[in-house]
Amino acid sequence: MWESYNKQWFMADDAITIVIKLLHAHNCTTVLEYGTNVGYLANKLGEFKVTSIERDDRFYAEAKKNCPNATLYHGSIEDVAPMLGHYDAVILDAQKGQYLDHFKLALSHTPKIIIADNIVSHKKKLAGFLEMIQSYNHEIISVGDGLAIIHPVRNHDRS
């Protein structure tokens, strides 16, 4: 089913394996994904209750076919995300130039963990985001296009 799509737009399978392990390790059951594309990741996370937001009309239509068990929203993250409640995990995988704003929105969902894709492949474009997460407990994993794993408790908030 996925052969007809450009896999370079998908999170790498080895990165997805790590994401699934992280979600289990943090006892996550609900996942909010910013940036559905055609639903590859949402489909692979089928054991979790996945909600995903996609603004592109064509990608949204494909995602509706590809991940029937996920809750999909069509629209901009800035418009849809503020209407959504708590999620155990938030995955950032939309417009790289918006990661800083998307991270701030993600915090409003009070997640246990925030995972950002493309951290290594888009390092220059994500410089402001990478600088901002320095004040949080985080790690960068060089798998796929690179993952940032962020725990939403700021370093100086911990006793």
Side-chain angles (χ1 to χ4, degrees), residues 94-101 125-126:
Q95 307 94 324
K96 307 317 170 228
Q98 298 297 313
Y99 268 32
L100 198 55
D101 292 334
K125 196 174 256 189
L126 296 172

Side-chain angles (χ1 to χ4, degrees), residues 31 59 63 69-70 72 75 84-85 110-111 120-122 125 130 138 140:
V31 178
F59 289 156
N69 296 325
L72 301 177
L84 303 175
T110 62
V120 174
S121 64
H122 290 74
K125 196 174 256 189
L130 291 168
H138 74 285
I140 305 294

Side-chain angles (χ1 to χ4, degrees), residues 64-82:
K64 290 292 277 185
K65 292 187 278 186
N66 294 333
C67 33
N69 296 325
T71 300
L72 301 177
Y73 287 93
H74 185 212
S76 74
I77 292 162
E78 295 78 11
D79 290 339
V80 176

